[in-house]
Amino acid sequence: MNHPSATADTVQQAAIDWAVICADGNLSATQAADFKSWLAQHPSHPGAYDDACRVLQLMTTAAKQAAPPPATVTNRHTVVKPRISSPALALAACLMLAMLLGVGLMPERYQALTADYHTERGETLPLTLADGSEVVLGPDSAMDVMLSAQQRRVELLHGVAWFHPAPAKDGQRPPFEVVADDTVTRALGTRFEVERLPAQLLVTVTEHQVAIASHGKQAPLVLNAGQAVRIHPDGLRTPVPAAQATLADWRQGTLRFQQEPLSHVLARLQRYYPGQLILLGDAKGQRPISGVFDLAQPEQALATITDSLGLTQQSLTPWLTLVY
């Protein structure tokens, strides 16, 4: 597998650090010399710094707009003006920037480093586990595998995966289970997909049946071929019409949606898109999308989606695209 360049992450992190330091405008002579030296070290450094400054400015402006009113009258004679230091705004913006760019702060980064198996954006990983089960790990995904005489269990840490478990051989070995948070999907001689989406889990069955237990409070739910269910953080289960089930289209290089929330569509597209996609406005994330998109052209897919909804996409850097 191809993994992100540590050098690229180091350059991004240094660019963010320098953007914050320079935003204060009070560099010491030593800092100014160090900054000048860093810019000259590599041709990519000036561009990375300019990109970090642009996003930092955007975030700082947003923070200022969200700040309290400029003055509050507390009595007849006294006016208190809120004090928001520009370094504080810059630091807050920098933290937001770092999270948006995924530089060492996103949980998925840590999971990818420690997981038994993980993939990068645009990459799929076909696997045959030690018990003979077949798995296709989707792009930008990670999972841990636990196989023994007592259990056959996969934990999906993030992303999506398709499973074709090896038979349990009439009870001679334990059932095959996939765990995601508090939900356990048990194979009943089947092929199925488990996908983690924003604030929910989607389980889709392509052959035979699965039994789904979640939060330990409800009776297991049995799904048949062609059925799917969304499982919410509170344990609520929402059946998904067969026409809306993706049925692992991503394994054939397409994404197919029917009245799917924009936030879910972008979460899936993000697994193929170069750079981070940020949707501004929670209400926009609920707008429905229908269509079939070629995963070999994620930029064109995003353009089609935003045009159809009358939204705007703005690429601030090669790493960050806003949708609003």
Side-chain angles (χ1 to χ4, degrees):
M1 289 184 289
N2 294 322
H3 300 289
S5 168
T7 301
D9 281 352
T10 302
V11 170
Q12 291 178 12
Q13 184 63 67
I16 293 168
D17 292 342
W18 279 118
V20 172
I21 293 170
C22 294
D24 191 22
N26 294 315
L27 273 69
S28 67
T30 300
Q31 286 176 323
D34 289 344
F35 177 49
K36 184 177 180 180
S37 174
W38 178 80
L39 287 175
Q41 281 175 8
H42 193 273
S44 67
H45 290 188
Y49 172 75
D50 289 342
D51 287 339
C53 286
R54 289 173 61 196
V55 181
L56 180 63
Q57 181 59 46
L58 175 74
M59 298 304 178
T60 302
T61 300
K64 287 180 177 178
Q65 291 174 345
T72 302
V73 178
T74 57
N75 58 46
R76 187 172 181 179
H77 303 290
T78 307
V79 175
V80 177
K81 296 182 179 180
R83 297 175 61 84
I84 304 176
S85 70
S86 109
L89 282 175
L91 178 58
C94 174
L95 292 174
M96 293 175 68
L97 171 64
M99 286 188 287
L100 292 177
L101 298 182
V103 182
L105 295 182
M106 296 177 68
E108 290 85 352
R109 290 292 186 184
Y110 177 75
Q111 289 173 342
L113 291 173
T114 59
D116 292 334
Y117 300 98
H118 79 276
T119 54
E120 304 300 336
R121 290 181 184 174
E123 176 189 31
T124 58
L125 179 62
L127 296 164
T128 300
L129 304 184
D131 69 337
S133 297
E134 297 176 10
V135 180
V136 180
L137 187 61
D140 197 15
S141 302
M143 70 179 191
D144 285 335
V145 177
M146 295 147 280
L147 298 177
S148 68
Q150 291 73 40
Q151 66 175 346
R152 292 194 298 157
R153 176 169 286 204
V154 170
E155 182 176 3
L156 184 63
L157 302 172
H158 67 266
V160 60
W162 178 87
F163 301 92
H164 182 198
K169 295 184 177 179
D170 297 325
Q172 295 181 28
R173 54 185 177 186
F176 187 92
E177 297 178 328
V178 177
V179 180
D181 293 330
D182 295 326
T183 297
V184 178
T185 301
R186 174 173 291 188
L188 303 176
T190 186
R191 303 182 189 200
F192 64 100
E193 174 185 309
V194 179
E195 181 177 21
R196 301 185 72 137
L197 291 166
Q200 66 181 240
L201 186 73
L202 177 64
V203 179
T204 304
V205 181
T206 56
E207 185 179 296
H208 298 303
Q209 295 178 320
V210 299
I212 301 172
S214 56
H215 296 264
K217 299 178 182 178
Q218 306 178 61
L221 172 68
V222 175
L223 289 185
N224 297 307
Q227 293 183 322
V229 66
R230 300 186 191 280
I231 302 167
H232 303 268
D234 59 2
L236 178 66
R237 300 163 175 174
T238 305
V240 179
Q244 292 186 15
T246 59
L247 298 179
D249 284 336
W250 53 270
R251 291 191 296 123
Q252 284 75 49
T254 62
L255 283 183
R256 187 186 308 271
F257 303 107
Q258 183 173 346
Q259 297 298 297
E260 191 81 3
L262 176 61
S263 60
H264 294 174
V265 173
L266 293 183
R268 289 178 173 131
L269 187 61
Q270 177 68 86
R271 298 176 189 145
Y272 302 85
Y273 201 87
Q276 191 73 24
L277 294 175
I278 303 296
L279 176 64
L280 303 180
D282 292 340
K284 294 183 178 68
Q286 299 306 310
R287 298 178 64 177
I289 285 287
S290 297
V292 180
F293 303 98
D294 183 356
L295 291 175
Q297 299 179 320
E299 294 94 339
Q300 181 58 47
L302 180 62
T304 300
I305 291 167
T306 53
D307 288 347
S308 67
L309 294 179
L311 300 177
T312 298
Q313 60 167 305
Q314 182 178 4
S315 296
L316 300 178
T317 78
W319 317 316
L320 178 61
T321 297
L322 302 182
V323 177
Y324 56 92

